[in-house]
Amino acid sequence: MQTYQYQIFGQSGTTSGQVKVPPGSELTLPNLFASASKSVVQVTIVDPQTGSQQGIGSGFVYDSVGHIVTNNHVVAFNLGNNEYIVTFLNGNAYEATLVGNDPFSDLAVLRILNPKATDVHPLTLSNSLPLVGDTAVAIGNPFGLSGSLTVGVISAVGRLLPTSGGQDSQFMGSAASSFDIPDVIQTDAAINPGNSGGPLLNMKNEVIGINSAIYSNTGSNAGIGFAIPSSTIKKVVQSIITTGEYQHPYLGVTGVDITPQLAKIFGLIDAKGFLVTDITPGSPASRAGFNTGGVSYDQQGQITNSYGDIIIKIDGNEVRKIDDILTYLERAKNVNDTITLTIIRDNQLKDLNVVLGSRPTQQESLAVGPFGDQSAPELDGGYSDCPSYVPQSLCDLFVQ
């Protein structure tokens, strides 16, 4: 049984009391805020050389020893050489150290120094994915306004969040990386600068995600926000606490999703699958015996010819596009696991067994090429890594 304190202010004075709620029950918004807000913090990044504030965001208490989960892009300035101040809603502030970070999932972990036991109230991570239409509650510090709550619904699940947008990208907040983040939650709960790193909660006071980015032309909320799901938080954060990092499973392929034009050229009934057009040298895919492919265009941008291996299944699960591969690897696999990829090669089915490697760092990725385990940038006169929920005209703006 959970107990929540309340105060009612009226003309006759103030009345205090307690409300007891059975575990797992849905709460009212006031009770949810009363419980969760004491676990949500403001994260301030200070340049130790100048003493100037370099960034501000949100975070939440992960465990009883004082680990704080936030976004990598919140703490990324001068990474590792900053001073971090963690402030609770009651005003108590603590110095914190950076335990580790993972730019590929936009997650980071801080640890506050010598916290009072009365300030450390871990939030519970949800064990299940939310459903579209479920209520979503965001708590954080938008524009530095601490203790702010906004409410919306889960608009979509399973999004692929681009993380390579530059200064002109409509996707604001996500960490710079050449890899996309799969399995992302979309919500219309108002999320603004400063909300990054704060929890997205269900009505049971469970963390279903960590608010990480918004889609906006202005930099402010436009009703499309994105959160990294609790399933990813569980895998990545515990590894960061233990080892300081998280190793993502990695194939090392670049390619394009099968379009109707490509399906016609290859004689496929359905426009499903992922055509491998390039392979990272020395990668697991290279060692497994993948063949590189290609796509030829005429002057009008129409496909005239194509060749290469087409991935249609991963461990027996259908592959419609690259999203399916990325999501499966992040959800179900680890480095050194073996997977079976079913491909079409020269009109014949073939199984290739691949021992997954560790995703290279951003510096290593730049040394071998800008892509890996994702779509190549151009197809049919457009961009194949444009998310399906973004108009092509907008996609052209932020991927060029």
Side-chain angles (χ1 to χ4, degrees):
M1 188 78 71
Q2 300 183 62
T3 302
Y4 300 94
Q5 303 285 342
Y6 70 86
Q7 287 185 310
I8 302 174
F9 298 91
Q11 294 180 346
S12 59
T14 301
T15 302
S16 300
Q18 295 181 339
V19 176
K20 293 187 177 181
V21 181
S25 298
E26 293 197 353
L27 310 179
T28 64
L29 285 171
N31 282 342
L32 188 151
F33 181 77
S35 177
S37 61
K38 60 189 177 184
S39 304
V40 180
V41 300
Q42 178 174 290
V43 178
T44 305
I45 297 86
V46 178
D47 184 346
Q49 300 299 320
T50 65
S52 60
Q53 178 178 305
Q54 297 298 325
I56 189 171
S58 302
F60 64 89
V61 180
Y62 178 77
D63 58 25
S64 59
V65 299
H67 287 112
I68 304 295
V69 178
T70 186
N71 283 138
N72 175 69
H73 74 262
V74 169
V75 301
F77 170 79
N78 198 25
L79 194 58
N81 297 305
N82 306 307
E83 293 177 355
Y84 303 98
I85 306 298
V86 171
T87 306
F88 287 82
L89 187 59
N90 62 11
N92 289 343
Y94 300 91
E95 293 182 354
T97 58
L98 180 64
V99 177
N101 66 298
D102 177 43
F104 295 124
S105 61
D106 196 19
L107 294 173
V109 179
L110 301 172
R111 183 170 180 174
I112 52 180
L113 304 178
N114 303 314
K116 296 179 180 178
T118 53
D119 282 337
V120 181
H121 302 281
L123 289 176
T124 300
L125 298 181
S126 174
N127 290 318
S128 59
L129 288 171
L131 300 176
V132 174
D134 282 352
T135 300
V137 179
I139 301 179
N141 308 284
F143 303 107
L145 299 172
S146 60
S148 296
L149 176 147
T150 57
V151 183
V153 298
I154 301 299
S155 305
V157 294
R159 293 301 197 198
L160 191 67
L161 178 62
T163 61
S164 55
Q167 291 181 346
D168 295 329
S169 174
Q170 282 85 9
F171 284 92
M172 306 296 293
S174 56
S177 164
S178 60
F179 294 84
D180 294 335
I181 305 175
D183 223 15
V184 169
I185 299 167
Q186 179 184 329
T187 180
D188 69 350
I191 297 173
N192 287 289
N195 273 118
S196 289
L200 188 69
L201 302 155
N202 60 23
M203 294 303 293
K204 297 179 182 179
N205 195 27
E206 297 171 334
V207 177
I208 54 177
I210 183 170
N211 301 314
S212 296
I214 58 174
Y215 181 79
S216 174
N217 292 313
T218 64
S220 298
N221 175 61
I224 303 177
F226 300 97
I228 310 304
S230 59
S231 56
T232 300
I233 297 171
K234 286 180 179 180
K235 292 180 66 174
V236 174
V237 167
Q238 194 54 51
S239 177
I240 289 176
I241 291 173
T242 303
T243 67
E245 63 179 0
Y246 178 78
Q247 294 187 337
H248 292 261
Y250 172 71
L251 279 175
V253 296
T254 299
V256 294
D257 295 331
I258 294 295
T259 65
Q261 274 187 291
L262 287 174
K264 184 176 181 180
I265 289 174
F266 282 100
L268 303 177
I269 297 175
D270 298 314
K272 298 178 181 178
F274 182 73
L275 172 65
V276 177
T277 59
D278 200 7
I279 301 166
T280 304
S283 68
S286 175
R287 292 190 292 270
F290 270 94
N291 291 337
T292 57
V295 181
S296 301
Y297 302 86
D298 62 21
Q299 292 183 343
Q300 287 72 44
Q302 298 297 310
I303 299 175
T304 59
N305 189 32
S306 186
Y307 62 95
D309 292 340
I310 301 174
I311 301 174
I312 60 170
K313 289 184 180 180
I314 180 169
D315 283 345
N317 300 292
E318 182 182 54
V319 171
R320 299 163 298 170
K321 50 186 178 179
I322 184 62
D323 301 33
D324 297 323
I325 298 174
L326 292 174
T327 299
Y328 179 77
L329 292 180
E330 287 298 315
R331 282 184 181 178
K333 293 299 173 180
N334 296 298
V335 175
N336 295 323
D337 285 350
T338 299
I339 60 171
T340 300
L341 294 170
T342 302
I343 65 171
I344 298 176
R345 176 183 292 174
D346 299 326
N347 296 319
Q348 300 292 320
L349 292 177
K350 183 179 180 66
D351 286 339
L352 294 179
N353 293 322
V354 184
V355 179
L356 296 171
S358 177
R359 184 180 293 177
T361 64
Q362 290 172 285
Q363 291 77 13
E364 292 169 340
S365 296
L366 291 173
V368 298
F371 301 102
D373 291 356
Q374 68 174 41
S375 296
E378 188 170 348
L379 182 65
D380 293 353
Y383 293 85
S384 62
D385 60 347
C386 180
S388 59
Y389 47 90
V390 178
Q392 184 67 49
S393 60
L394 291 181
C395 183
D396 291 342
L397 291 175
F398 69 76
V399 298
Q400 287 182 322

